[in-house]
Amino acid sequence: MNHIHPIHSRPPRDWNQWLNGALFCLSFITGCIIIHAFQVFFLLPLKLIPGQRMYDHGIRYTKGSFATLLSKSGWYLMNQWFAPTALSVTFEAHGRGKFTPQEIQQIVERDPSGKVVALHLPSKSVIISNHQVYCDWWYVWCLTYFTKAHRDVFIVLKKSLKWVPILGPGMQMFRFIFLARSWSLDQAQLEKKLSKLGKKAEKEDNPFALILFPEGTLVSRDTRPISRRYAEKLGIPDLNNTLLPRSTGLHYCLRSLAPRLPTLKLLDVTITYPGVYPPKRYGQSYYTLRSIFCDRIPPPVVHMHLRIFDVTRQVPIGSSDTCTIGDIPKSDKAKFDEWLRELWTRKDQFMTEFLERDVSNVSKWEPVQIPLELRSSMEMANAYCFFTPAIAIYALIKLAGPFLSELL
């Protein structure tokens, strides 16, 4: 029950937590090193082959391996030893409330035992979410594992993360988008990346999932006053559980991708951590990456409320072309700003109701429970690229051994 207490008021870490943290770090870091080694030693040479199809398939494979590693290192290893939790997913149809049981049956795929093994959600989507704690992106990516889009995830990140050892170069090879949060610097980079990614996904008919957090940062004691001042500047009410979203980046992404991906959907995710902290509190006071995965105090359940919008028909993006930010008509931008703020207001209201009336509100929406487990234990080896770099290096050393002995 430690999860119901803020981190600062929890008992000191015991030896089990220290051991859990050490094993988690060893498992996760080892997996990251092997995946990146596979990229460098096995995939980079493939870039020399015209067309780069083998290289592209290899990058998709390593991205899927990393997503599997997230699930494995976080929840599956040693009977979900590190940080066991589950997703609770509810669905809302635009304009008419919750999905019918028949519609949910079409979305949710189960195995003969009744366990959820897949979610049939749009294959090409921009995924937006509120941002409560640093591991939100982790859980959203795990959601794409069940939609079978985990190999085709692209995330917009701060430029400062570009050169984090091992992870940064690996994410660059994943073709993630790194922004400096200044449109004068980011616009050309974003336009180039989105154009290439959108055309490629449509041409090869691969899934596509671009993950964005329109709030730009976590809800916290430091960011709440900034959101309040922004609301005062716009002359609108501030929100209770979220920050007011910034629309420029999302608007530009949708306008740029829509003409290249005709079936593009907007998947709106409202993440809540029920039964832990009341409204107007800060999730980061209860859950950090360290407290979840090292101290083994994860949220008992991660609730995701999903709404799906057809971008060209239900989202007021205006004329879907590739014009620059400065060329977007002010009326188009104003309509999208208003639409996004209304969406975030509804998100904020949902979170208040959900957190205040936890059990009744969950049952109202008929949630689908999804244990965060791999579909098969065989995928555990896939998380480490089947140890191919280590095996290859070992083989080279063995083969070169006699030759080196003669030289010495």
Side-chain angles (χ1 to χ4, degrees):
M1 294 293 289
N2 277 337
H3 66 274
I4 66 174
H5 302 292
I7 293 173
H8 65 81
S9 64
R10 291 173 186 170
R13 296 180 181 88
D14 57 30
W15 70 268
N16 280 317
Q17 290 176 314
W18 285 109
L19 178 60
N20 184 85
L23 291 176
F24 170 77
C25 291
L26 178 63
S27 173
F28 184 69
I29 293 173
T30 300
C32 290
I33 291 173
I34 291 176
I35 291 171
H36 189 49
F38 185 88
Q39 291 176 325
V40 172
F41 294 109
F42 286 81
L43 298 184
L44 279 181
L46 298 179
K47 292 197 74 173
L48 301 175
I49 300 175
Q52 298 187 14
R53 288 186 62 85
M54 293 182 65
Y55 174 79
D56 291 339
H57 285 304
I59 290 298
R60 291 184 68 236
Y61 167 71
T62 57
K63 193 182 291 187
S65 295
F66 185 72
T68 303
L69 180 68
L70 297 185
S71 295
K72 173 186 181 299
S73 293
W75 301 284
Y76 194 83
L77 182 65
M78 301 173 71
N79 295 318
Q80 302 178 14
W81 199 64
F82 287 132
T85 189
L87 294 182
S88 173
V89 182
T90 51
F91 306 90
E92 180 178 352
H94 174 62
R96 60 182 181 84
K98 67 180 181 179
F99 277 40
T100 66
Q102 292 75 20
E103 290 173 321
I104 293 177
Q105 288 178 6
Q106 292 176 354
I107 294 174
V108 180
E109 179 182 337
R110 301 178 184 269
D111 65 12
S113 68
K115 175 184 172 181
V116 176
V117 294
L119 296 174
H120 298 291
L121 294 172
S123 62
K124 294 179 175 62
S125 62
V126 173
I127 303 174
I128 60 174
S129 173
N130 57 308
H131 205 0
Q132 301 292 297
V133 298
Y134 280 117
C135 59
D136 290 336
W137 67 271
W138 186 303
Y139 293 127
V140 173
W141 198 341
C142 287
L143 176 69
T144 67
Y145 172 80
F146 292 94
T147 67
K148 299 181 180 179
H150 58 294
R151 293 185 176 186
D152 301 277
V153 164
F154 303 93
I155 304 178
V156 179
L157 300 166
K158 295 186 296 184
K159 194 173 182 178
S160 59
L161 299 174
K162 192 172 184 177
W163 298 109
V164 173
I166 302 174
L167 288 174
M171 291 188 293
Q172 291 182 54
M173 296 185 76
F174 287 161
R175 300 190 179 98
F176 286 178
I177 301 173
F178 297 89
L179 300 180
R181 295 184 177 178
S182 169
W183 276 112
S184 61
L185 301 174
D186 294 333
Q187 185 175 322
Q189 166 82 348
L190 191 60
E191 182 175 2
K192 178 182 177 181
K193 288 277 190 178
L194 291 176
S195 175
K196 187 174 182 179
L197 294 175
K199 288 178 180 177
K200 192 174 186 64
E202 187 64 18
K203 180 180 179 181
E204 299 179 1
D205 196 25
N206 289 328
F208 177 87
L210 177 67
I211 299 176
L212 289 167
F213 292 93
E215 291 164 81
T217 188
L218 297 175
V219 182
S220 69
R221 187 172 284 102
D222 296 327
T223 59
R224 170 58 62 203
I226 298 174
S227 179
R228 184 165 53 250
R229 289 194 295 270
Y230 183 50
E232 292 172 353
K233 178 181 176 181
L234 296 176
I236 60 175
D238 193 16
L239 304 176
N240 294 318
N241 306 289
T242 65
L243 304 177
L244 284 170
R246 305 302 175 105
S247 63
T248 302
L250 175 61
H251 191 205
Y252 183 77
C253 289
L254 295 176
R255 286 174 66 98
S256 181
L257 289 169
R260 298 181 173 96
L261 297 171
T263 61
L264 184 68
K265 300 296 188 291
L266 180 68
L267 178 60
D268 173 48
V269 181
T270 301
I271 297 182
T272 55
Y273 298 89
V276 179
Y277 58 92
K280 298 184 180 182
R281 292 290 184 91
Y282 307 121
Q284 195 64 11
S285 299
Y286 295 81
Y287 299 122
T288 62
L289 292 174
R290 177 172 178 173
S291 71
I292 291 174
F293 299 110
C294 294
D295 296 346
R296 199 172 183 254
I297 306 178
V301 64
V302 180
H303 187 84
M304 293 186 176
H305 187 67
L306 307 184
R307 300 181 69 198
I308 303 171
F309 300 86
D310 186 289
V311 171
T312 56
R313 294 190 300 108
Q314 297 174 325
V315 182
I317 60 174
S319 175
S320 298
D321 53 33
T322 56
C323 63
T324 62
I325 292 292
D327 294 332
I328 296 177
K330 290 184 179 180
S331 58
D332 287 355
K333 182 66 165 57
K335 288 179 182 177
F336 183 79
D337 289 351
E338 183 178 355
W339 180 86
L340 185 62
R341 286 197 297 269
E342 182 180 348
L343 179 67
W344 239 251
T345 299
R346 291 191 61 181
K347 186 187 297 285
D348 188 68
Q349 292 171 347
F350 174 87
M351 292 179 67
T352 297
E353 293 178 3
F354 192 93
L355 294 171
E356 288 180 344
R357 298 184 293 120
D358 183 13
V359 176
S360 61
N361 206 48
V362 170
S363 59
K364 166 188 172 183
W365 287 98
E366 301 177 10
V368 175
Q369 300 292 331
I370 309 175
L372 285 180
E373 303 175 356
L374 300 180
R375 285 182 285 268
S376 167
S377 59
M378 293 297 294
E379 292 189 51
M380 291 170 63
N382 182 51
Y384 292 96
C385 294
F386 294 93
F387 295 94
T388 44
I391 294 171
I393 293 170
Y394 177 78
L396 287 173
I397 293 173
K398 280 292 186 182
L399 290 173
F403 177 72
L404 292 174
S405 298
E406 290 181 9
L407 290 178
L408 297 174

